[in-house]
Amino acid sequence: MNSIVSNLIVASIEDCLPFYVERLGFTQTVDVPHDGKLGFVILKRGELELMLQSRASLAADIAGLGADAFRAALYIEVDKLAPIRKALTDWPRVIPERTTFYGAREIIVRDPAGNLVAFASREA
């Protein structure tokens, strides 16, 4: 595994940005709009990275998740998905394995507590 990045699921990204950017010194490096608002952002501060995603954007991205009570998801970058795929052979998927518009291949599951865990690789 190469990194773990927290993706905080929030009602409004715009309401959260002043806290993370103005108070904590993060810089917004990526933004993806959704329905006239921010749907997703990546914030960086030095080596730290944090993602924020709106509930509405999440619901549009992965059907059925918008109403879930969880607040965070782990996004884990790996060199190859093959070992993850093998380790999770009989583990239920949130959605079928997919390739994103930005070229990452992803396997998304829930941990036993119900948290989302997404494994992503640029290689299959």
Side-chain angles (χ1 to χ4, degrees), residues 67-85:
D68 276 7
F70 67 87
R71 299 277 190 247
L74 293 179
Y75 187 85
I76 303 172
E77 290 185 28
V78 298
D79 288 329
K80 296 184 181 197
L81 278 179
I84 301 301
R85 195 179 293 114

Side-chain angles (χ1 to χ4, degrees), residues 10-17 28 30-41 52-58 60:
V10 300
S12 167
I13 292 173
E14 291 83 354
D15 289 347
C16 295
L17 286 178
Q28 184 177 325
V30 173
D31 61 87
V32 178
H34 179 78
D35 288 342
K37 295 183 176 185
L38 288 171
F40 176 84
V41 297
L52 302 178
Q53 186 168 12
S54 71
R55 277 196 189 284
S57 169
L58 180 66

